[in-house]
Amino acid sequence: MTIIHMTIPPLPHYIIGGYTVAPSGRKHPSRCNINVFDLLVVTRGCLYMGEEDQHYEVSAGHALILRPDAHHYATRACEEQTAYYWIHFQTTGMWSITDQSMPEVPPDSSKSRILNTNIYTAQTFAKQLPQFAKLLQPSKMDSLLRQLVQLNMNDHIPSVKWKQQLVFQEVIEHLSASMEAEGPSPSILCAEQAASYLREHYRDSITAQELGDSINFHPVYIARCMQKEFGCAPFDYLMRFRIEQAKLLLLQTDLPIARIGEQVGFNHAAYFTSCFAKYESISPRKYRQRFSHG
């Protein structure tokens, strides 16, 4: 399966769409580098499409996303009356394409999953969309796309444009769910369970063995999975999370720095200060002073 990885935010945005009923013998037009993604969702019949050297038979209940930077064309004419939605959309963020049989490399790499060093900066993540998929809920997708296209009549009204974007995000979610139904890979499952445990118990003293026992994976395997999915070892992930929680307390409370260190899992104030400075290149006291007034 070919997968499109999009860095979120920014969100992919809807541009224009429509509903076409093509008679038998009609071919989808051939286009090259149209600079927008073209989503095709067939409700009746079948579209025979090609993109570069890949060929697809997009029958009822299936969806195909054509890339903005590639040549797509009809491999043959429709053999029966074929009805389909076409949706043009784009993203101003990074995106890439990989094959599911290859190692996953999101556009901003696994490092995008590491905790952000600026708590007031949006954290990015990779949203995965199947380029070609059988829809889990064709009737639900049909309802969303019909609503999206009907809104075109009044898209000169800002509130309607906003509604279109909200509906389109539901379309994206349904496309993503068509792929996610297969479930996460064992590596992702292990890494995310480990991260959840570390977040829940970050105030406690945690050993590698305790982490392994808690989620029933060997500590070495956990470390390998977290390195792959988050770009860091479990202990490094834990330290980063503790520092992020400390930064929130430094900004949102007047608690003494030593007390803040205790609340986020550090037994000694000096060690907390040392770790904070290592990750933030500034002491906790100076970090707090940076945002103080007067």
Side-chain angles (χ1 to χ4, degrees), residues 117-118 239-240 243-244 247 250 272-288 290-291:
T117 56
N118 186 338
M239 292 298 293
R240 290 174 184 270
I243 296 301
E244 290 303 307
K247 287 162 65 176
L250 286 166
F272 167 57
T273 298
S274 173
C275 290
F276 192 98
K278 174 183 175 182
Y279 283 88
E280 296 297 319
S281 300
I282 191 174
S283 71
R285 189 176 306 280
K286 289 185 177 179
Y287 181 85
R288 172 178 270 173
R290 177 192 293 174
F291 300 99

Side-chain angles (χ1 to χ4, degrees), residues 91-112:
T91 177
T92 56
M94 298 174 64
W95 64 273
S96 67
I97 291 216
T98 62
D99 188 275
Q100 196 172 46
S101 62
M102 299 170 58
E104 180 185 324
V105 183
D108 47 359
S109 82
S110 61
K111 292 182 179 179
S112 66

Side-chain angles (χ1 to χ4, degrees), residues 222-238:
I222 293 174
R224 186 163 63 245
C225 292
M226 291 200 72
Q227 187 66 49
K228 176 184 177 184
E229 303 300 333
F230 291 97
C232 63
F235 180 75
D236 190 31
Y237 185 94
L238 175 61

